[in-house]
Short mmCIF file of all heavy atoms in Angstrom, two decimals:
data_model
loop_
_atom_site.label_atom_id
_atom_site.label_comp_id
_atom_site.label_asym_id
_atom_site.label_seq_id
_atom_site.Cartn_x
_atom_site.Cartn_y
_atom_site.Cartn_z
N SER S 1 18.67 -210.94 73.00
CA SER S 1 18.33 -211.34 74.37
C SER S 1 19.21 -212.49 74.83
O SER S 1 18.72 -213.50 75.35
CB SER S 1 16.85 -211.73 74.45
OG SER S 1 16.02 -210.67 74.04
N LEU S 2 20.49 -212.35 74.66
CA LEU S 2 21.41 -213.43 74.98
C LEU S 2 21.41 -213.76 76.47
O LEU S 2 21.25 -212.87 77.32
CB LEU S 2 22.82 -213.07 74.52
CG LEU S 2 23.05 -213.24 73.02
CD1 LEU S 2 24.26 -212.47 72.55
CD2 LEU S 2 23.19 -214.72 72.67
N LYS S 3 21.59 -215.03 76.75
CA LYS S 3 21.60 -215.54 78.11
C LYS S 3 22.94 -216.22 78.39
O LYS S 3 23.60 -216.69 77.45
CB LYS S 3 20.49 -216.56 78.30
CG LYS S 3 19.10 -216.06 77.96
CD LYS S 3 18.07 -217.18 78.07
CE LYS S 3 16.67 -216.70 77.72
NZ LYS S 3 15.67 -217.79 77.82
N PRO S 4 23.34 -216.31 79.65
CA PRO S 4 24.60 -217.00 79.96
C PRO S 4 24.64 -218.42 79.41
O PRO S 4 25.70 -218.91 79.00
CB PRO S 4 24.63 -216.98 81.49
CG PRO S 4 23.87 -215.75 81.87
CD PRO S 4 22.77 -215.65 80.84
N GLU S 5 23.49 -219.09 79.35
CA GLU S 5 23.46 -220.46 78.84
C GLU S 5 23.66 -220.54 77.32
O GLU S 5 23.77 -221.63 76.76
CB GLU S 5 22.16 -221.17 79.23
CG GLU S 5 20.90 -220.39 78.92
CD GLU S 5 20.39 -219.60 80.12
OE1 GLU S 5 21.21 -218.98 80.83
OE2 GLU S 5 19.15 -219.61 80.33
N ASP S 6 23.71 -219.39 76.65
CA ASP S 6 24.04 -219.37 75.23
C ASP S 6 25.55 -219.40 75.00
O ASP S 6 26.00 -219.49 73.86
CB ASP S 6 23.46 -218.11 74.57
CG ASP S 6 21.96 -218.09 74.55
OD1 ASP S 6 21.34 -219.15 74.29
OD2 ASP S 6 21.37 -217.01 74.80
N THR S 7 26.33 -219.32 76.07
CA THR S 7 27.78 -219.36 75.95
C THR S 7 28.23 -220.68 75.34
O THR S 7 27.88 -221.76 75.81
CB THR S 7 28.43 -219.19 77.33
OG1 THR S 7 28.14 -217.87 77.82
CG2 THR S 7 29.94 -219.37 77.26
N ALA S 8 28.99 -220.59 74.25
CA ALA S 8 29.43 -221.78 73.52
C ALA S 8 30.30 -221.35 72.35
O ALA S 8 30.38 -220.16 72.03
CB ALA S 8 28.23 -222.57 73.01
N VAL S 9 30.91 -222.33 71.73
CA VAL S 9 31.53 -222.11 70.43
C VAL S 9 30.45 -222.39 69.38
O VAL S 9 29.80 -223.44 69.43
CB VAL S 9 32.74 -223.04 70.20
CG1 VAL S 9 33.30 -222.83 68.80
CG2 VAL S 9 33.82 -222.77 71.26
N TYR S 10 30.27 -221.45 68.49
CA TYR S 10 29.23 -221.55 67.46
C TYR S 10 29.87 -221.95 66.14
O TYR S 10 30.83 -221.30 65.69
CB TYR S 10 28.48 -220.23 67.33
CG TYR S 10 27.48 -220.03 68.45
CD1 TYR S 10 27.92 -219.76 69.75
CD2 TYR S 10 26.12 -220.14 68.23
CE1 TYR S 10 27.02 -219.61 70.79
CE2 TYR S 10 25.20 -219.98 69.26
CZ TYR S 10 25.66 -219.72 70.53
OH TYR S 10 24.76 -219.57 71.56
N TYR S 11 29.31 -222.99 65.53
CA TYR S 11 29.83 -223.54 64.28
C TYR S 11 28.82 -223.37 63.17
O TYR S 11 27.63 -223.65 63.33
CB TYR S 11 30.13 -225.02 64.43
CG TYR S 11 31.21 -225.34 65.44
CD1 TYR S 11 30.89 -225.61 66.77
CD2 TYR S 11 32.55 -225.39 65.06
CE1 TYR S 11 31.87 -225.90 67.70
CE2 TYR S 11 33.54 -225.69 65.98
CZ TYR S 11 33.20 -225.94 67.30
OH TYR S 11 34.18 -226.23 68.21
N CYS S 12 29.33 -222.98 62.02
CA CYS S 12 28.55 -222.92 60.80
C CYS S 12 28.75 -224.25 60.05
O CYS S 12 29.84 -224.82 60.09
CB CYS S 12 29.07 -221.75 59.96
SG CYS S 12 28.38 -221.60 58.32
N ALA S 13 27.70 -224.73 59.40
CA ALA S 13 27.78 -225.99 58.69
C ALA S 13 27.00 -225.93 57.38
O ALA S 13 26.00 -225.20 57.29
CB ALA S 13 27.24 -227.12 59.57
N ALA S 14 27.46 -226.72 56.40
CA ALA S 14 26.82 -226.75 55.09
C ALA S 14 26.50 -228.17 54.70
O ALA S 14 27.32 -229.08 54.88
CB ALA S 14 27.75 -226.12 54.05
N ALA S 15 25.28 -228.35 54.15
CA ALA S 15 24.84 -229.67 53.71
C ALA S 15 24.38 -229.60 52.26
O ALA S 15 23.63 -228.68 51.90
CB ALA S 15 23.68 -230.15 54.57
N PRO S 16 24.82 -230.54 51.42
CA PRO S 16 24.29 -230.57 50.06
C PRO S 16 22.78 -230.72 50.13
O PRO S 16 22.28 -231.68 50.72
CB PRO S 16 24.95 -231.81 49.44
CG PRO S 16 26.14 -232.07 50.29
CD PRO S 16 25.77 -231.62 51.67
N GLY S 17 22.07 -229.78 49.57
CA GLY S 17 20.62 -229.80 49.69
C GLY S 17 19.96 -230.18 48.39
O GLY S 17 20.01 -229.45 47.42
N TYR S 18 19.37 -231.36 48.35
CA TYR S 18 18.76 -231.86 47.13
C TYR S 18 17.38 -231.26 46.90
O TYR S 18 16.88 -231.23 45.78
CB TYR S 18 18.71 -233.37 47.16
CG TYR S 18 20.09 -233.98 47.32
CD1 TYR S 18 20.48 -234.53 48.54
CD2 TYR S 18 21.00 -233.96 46.28
CE1 TYR S 18 21.75 -235.07 48.70
CE2 TYR S 18 22.28 -234.48 46.43
CZ TYR S 18 22.65 -235.03 47.64
OH TYR S 18 23.91 -235.54 47.81
N THR S 19 16.79 -230.77 47.98
CA THR S 19 15.47 -230.15 47.90
C THR S 19 15.61 -228.69 48.32
O THR S 19 16.03 -228.42 49.44
CB THR S 19 14.46 -230.85 48.82
OG1 THR S 19 14.42 -232.23 48.48
CG2 THR S 19 13.08 -230.23 48.67
N PRO S 20 15.26 -227.74 47.47
CA PRO S 20 15.50 -226.31 47.78
C PRO S 20 14.84 -225.83 49.06
O PRO S 20 15.35 -224.93 49.72
CB PRO S 20 14.92 -225.59 46.56
CG PRO S 20 15.04 -226.58 45.46
CD PRO S 20 14.78 -227.91 46.10
N SER S 21 13.72 -226.41 49.43
CA SER S 21 12.98 -225.89 50.57
C SER S 21 13.20 -226.67 51.86
O SER S 21 12.64 -226.35 52.89
CB SER S 21 11.49 -225.89 50.25
OG SER S 21 11.07 -227.22 49.99
N ARG S 22 14.04 -227.69 51.82
CA ARG S 22 14.19 -228.55 53.00
C ARG S 22 15.18 -227.97 53.99
O ARG S 22 16.21 -227.41 53.62
CB ARG S 22 14.64 -229.96 52.58
CG ARG S 22 14.78 -230.91 53.77
CD ARG S 22 15.12 -232.31 53.34
NE ARG S 22 15.43 -233.15 54.49
CZ ARG S 22 15.83 -234.40 54.41
NH1 ARG S 22 15.97 -234.97 53.23
NH2 ARG S 22 16.10 -235.08 55.51
N VAL S 23 14.87 -228.16 55.27
CA VAL S 23 15.74 -227.76 56.37
C VAL S 23 16.30 -229.03 57.01
O VAL S 23 15.58 -229.98 57.26
CB VAL S 23 14.96 -226.95 57.42
CG1 VAL S 23 15.82 -226.69 58.65
CG2 VAL S 23 14.50 -225.62 56.83
N TYR S 24 17.60 -229.04 57.26
CA TYR S 24 18.28 -230.19 57.86
C TYR S 24 18.69 -229.82 59.28
O TYR S 24 19.29 -228.77 59.51
CB TYR S 24 19.50 -230.57 57.04
CG TYR S 24 19.20 -230.94 55.62
CD1 TYR S 24 19.08 -229.96 54.64
CD2 TYR S 24 19.00 -232.27 55.25
CE1 TYR S 24 18.78 -230.28 53.34
CE2 TYR S 24 18.70 -232.61 53.94
CZ TYR S 24 18.59 -231.61 52.99
OH TYR S 24 18.30 -231.94 51.70
N THR S 25 18.39 -230.70 60.23
CA THR S 25 18.65 -230.37 61.64
C THR S 25 19.61 -231.33 62.34
O THR S 25 19.92 -231.12 63.51
CB THR S 25 17.33 -230.34 62.43
OG1 THR S 25 16.75 -231.65 62.40
CG2 THR S 25 16.36 -229.33 61.84
N ARG S 26 20.09 -232.35 61.66
CA ARG S 26 20.94 -233.36 62.30
C ARG S 26 22.40 -233.19 61.92
O ARG S 26 22.71 -232.90 60.77
CB ARG S 26 20.44 -234.76 61.95
CG ARG S 26 19.05 -235.04 62.49
CD ARG S 26 18.51 -236.37 62.01
NE ARG S 26 17.25 -236.73 62.63
CZ ARG S 26 16.09 -236.28 62.23
NH1 ARG S 26 16.02 -235.43 61.23
NH2 ARG S 26 15.00 -236.67 62.86
#
């Protein structure tokens, strides 16, 4: 259900995760 406001360059990122279940958002 893409919208015009979804237009952007999309970047993938990786963070060393010390806790298997944690989600990082910053």
Side-chain angles (χ1 to χ4, degrees):
S1 302
L2 282 161
K3 304 175 181 180
E5 50 264 43
D6 294 319
T7 294
V9 177
Y10 283 71
Y11 296 92
C12 173
Y18 302 105
T19 304
S21 61
R22 181 176 172 184
V23 173
Y24 301 84
T25 63
R26 296 174 174 82

